Amino acid sequence: MGASVTHQPIRAVFLGAPGAGKGTQAKMMAGRCGALHVSSGDMLREHRRRGTDLGRRAQGYMDRGQLVPDDLVVAMVLERIRQPDAGRSWILDGFPRTLPQAQSLDRSLHAERAGGGTAAVRHVAYFDVPDAILVRRLTGRRTCSNSACGAIWHVEFQPPRVAGVCDSCGGQLAQRPDDREDVVHQRLEAYRTQTEPLLDYYAGRGVLVEVDADQPPEAVLADLVGKLDG
Ligand code: AP5
């Protein structure tokens, strides 16, 4: 893997439909370059698990495959990337997902830069996968229930050695409730109407790169790194 992308701060947004492989790639990339992986979906699920007010307010939207209201998500993510452990490198996975979210992120980073910080979204990677593949990926996904691990598997494309058991930590694998096929179609619809317009938004800022995500994960990562370096 080319080295330069790992030798400069990464401030990246990973964009793509549900099941495009954003989480899989963000974990691989963050593991290699030491960036903080910030997944808005994982953060919301953790709030639900802990039964916080935010978790309770997000629950119905997530179960129906709808986006959680912008104000709830923006505050949660911006607060996270201001923490000291976010340092100078982060990968945002699943955020922003609407134009107002992207504008809030830009405003926040602009204010940070004005205060002497080095913040700016340097890269936006769009993971492109055909719809028919997305549905198979989502309905076959299994996730480690151990929240400290959270490894992502697939019954067909990335099966663990023992069915139902995480190779990484031995935790139990579970299907996300929103990976049921009826909810998956709602999520894809929300993506098309609310998130896809961000491709033009970031292309207009000259930071968008497109990755062919319909190939094995290691090949996707190689493509991603090549594009970020380029
Ligand atoms: P979230 O958790 O962000 O879900 P998502 O965007 O729908 O994305 P996924 O996690 O489903 O897919 P992914 O692209 O990460 O794919 P993965 O790598 O897992 O959001 C859930 C909900 O939270 C939303 O519906 C919404 O309600 C709410 N929410 C979250 N953020 C929000 C925001 N900003 N604003 C408002 N609401 C928000 O891969 C999928 C499967 O494919 C896995 O099984 C994996 O093993 C397999 N796979 C991955 N890559 C490959 C490959 N290259 N080849 C073969 N199989 C592969």
Side-chain angles (χ1 to χ4, degrees):
M1 153 171 190
S4 63
V5 77
T6 62
H7 285 132
Q8 44 178 296
I10 290 191
R11 288 175 173 260
V13 167
F14 282 8
L15 258 185
K22 304 178 296 294
T24 300
Q25 294 300 321
K27 281 184 200 301
M28 292 165 80
M29 183 67 117
R32 291 195 186 199
C33 66
L36 180 73
H37 172 200
V38 179
S39 159
S40 48
D42 286 350
M43 292 174 78
L44 289 167
R45 282 183 287 278
E46 179 63 12
H47 275 279
R48 287 181 62 167
R49 196 185 62 75
R50 290 178 11 229
T52 66
D53 179 51
L54 170 55
R56 279 192 296 276
R57 292 165 73 185
Q59 183 163 343
Y61 298 100
M62 296 174 79
D63 289 346
R64 289 189 295 273
Q66 298 169 341
L67 296 187
V68 173
D70 289 336
D71 56 332
L72 300 182
V73 180
V74 166
M76 176 186 78
V77 174
L78 295 186
E79 197 267 336
R80 182 66 191 91
I81 61 175
R82 285 184 196 122
Q83 297 300 309
D85 68 327
R88 299 171 70 224
S89 283
W90 35 251
I91 297 169
L92 303 184
D93 158 16
F95 179 94
R97 228 154 159 128
T98 64
L99 205 49
Q101 290 183 18
Q103 289 163 337
S104 296
L105 177 65
D106 277 355
R107 276 195 300 274
S108 171
L109 297 179
H110 185 75
E112 194 185 318
R113 205 164 44 222
T118 55
V121 172
R122 300 163 74 108
H123 298 289
V124 177
Y126 164 55
F127 296 89
D128 188 23
V129 179
D131 272 13
I133 303 282
L134 293 172
V135 175
R136 274 174 74 191
R137 282 194 185 176
L138 290 169
T139 52
R141 172 168 51 191
R142 300 294 180 269
T143 308
C144 181
S145 318
N146 170 7
S147 58
C149 172
I152 304 167
W153 302 96
H154 193 281
V155 293
E156 188 183 349
F157 303 135
Q158 283 190 288
R161 282 191 298 271
V162 178
V165 179
C166 179
D167 280 3
S168 305
C169 75
Q172 243 190 334
L173 301 185
Q175 183 174 35
R176 269 171 46 179
D178 61 346
D179 280 346
R180 282 198 342 255
E181 192 160 347
D182 54 329
V183 185
V184 162
H185 288 292
Q186 288 302 315
R187 289 164 60 200
L188 289 172
E189 176 64 18
Y191 170 75
R192 297 285 170 237
T193 54
Q194 293 170 273
T195 307
E196 222 166 45
L198 290 184
L199 297 179
D200 282 344
Y201 179 81
Y202 284 121
R205 279 162 174 66
V207 291
L208 187 74
V209 296
E210 191 168 324
V211 177
D212 174 7
D214 185 17
Q215 43 179 348
E218 289 295 347
V220 177
L221 184 66
D223 190 4
L224 171 67
V225 169
K227 298 267 170 62
L228 297 188
D229 279 345

